[in-house]
Amino acid sequence: MKILIANDDGFQAPGIVALHDALKALPDVEVEVVAPEHNNSAKSNALTLHSPLYVHQAANGFRYVNGTPADCVHIALTGLLGYRPDLVVSGINNGANMGDDTIYSGTVGAAMEGYLFGIPAIAFSQTEKGWKHLDVAAAKAAELVQQLLPSLPEAQRRQEPWLLNVNIPCLPLAQIKGFKVTRLGRRHAAEPVIRQESPRGETMFWIGGAGPARDDVDGTDFHAALQGFATITPLQVDLTDHDRLPYWAPTAASLSGGGA
Ligand code: MN
């Protein structure tokens, strides 16, 4: 089994090193890392189209790219690797990617890039920043991957890839209750923008932090993670609001040329 590993925190982040080491230790598994040179958190699925990308290799074998998480997976799958991996994993991210975080997350973006190429993919995050109990998160990630390994070739042969978003609580191993399948919750709108004066007297703006959870009822990722579960949320990519197709049909019909 061949696993491509990417992340959004950069190739030197402790999270990707821990994930690499944990997956490399699985039997019959080969791993390869292609990850951003610098922190690319919140870059979502962005691709770099207007500047060249360079790939370098670190002493530990990790390859790093002056681009986004999705760039890394994209170029890996379209020529850099020279083979098709069985699985794409991303992370382990420094902080939660729950609810609408998944729209912005570069960790999810890297995994989604693999999914869009028809390859099963998993995005791993720890629910708090700071890498506490990272060894536990890496062990839980490896446990899930090992469980899924036998199903991977069939998923690709049937052209039925899947995309999982996994959040692991920052807890000692004994306090993690296990895995729970959840839906995404929702956060409040983000905190206000932060305004500062630069040393040269100009006004600078910093994007505010993500808001607290708003929809965190039973069944959501927020709820389960707070209870001490590692959460598994299967994601889909189709953003169509299928329920609202009939609602918008009269608008289209009433516009010029409508109903033709
Ligand atoms: Mn990140």
Side-chain angles (χ1 to χ4, degrees), residues 8-9 39-42 93-95 97 105-107 129:
D8 76 357
D9 296 327
N39 193 320
N40 270 258
S41 296
N93 188 59
N94 188 21
N97 278 309
S105 166
T107 306
K129 291 184 192 291

Side-chain angles (χ1 to χ4, degrees), residues 107-195:
T107 306
V108 173
M112 191 178 289
E113 194 68 10
Y115 171 76
L116 293 173
F117 275 83
I119 301 172
I122 313 174
F124 289 107
S125 304
Q126 277 198 298
T127 56
E128 287 162 42
K129 291 184 192 291
W131 311 118
K132 204 175 176 194
H133 304 299
L134 179 58
D135 55 331
V136 174
K140 299 308 282 185
E143 182 189 353
L144 176 61
V145 168
Q146 185 167 22
Q147 173 81 16
L148 294 171
L149 282 177
S151 70
L152 296 176
E154 182 70 359
Q156 286 208 49
R157 197 186 62 75
R158 296 167 67 99
Q159 299 186 346
E160 291 173 353
W162 35 256
L163 174 60
L164 301 181
N165 184 49
V166 174
N167 282 272
I168 303 164
C170 300
L171 294 170
L173 186 59
Q175 289 178 34
I176 294 185
K177 290 179 179 165
F179 285 91
K180 193 171 222 176
V181 175
T182 60
R183 69 172 174 88
L184 298 179
R186 289 289 300 275
R187 289 190 189 274
H188 274 297
E191 305 289 338
V193 70
I194 299 153
R195 194 185 290 252

Side-chain angles (χ1 to χ4, degrees), residues 98 127 169 171 177 216 220-229 231:
M98 299 191 285
T127 56
L171 294 170
K177 290 179 179 165
D216 58 357
T220 64
D221 44 5
F222 289 107
H223 188 272
L226 206 58
Q227 307 294 315
F229 291 95
T231 65

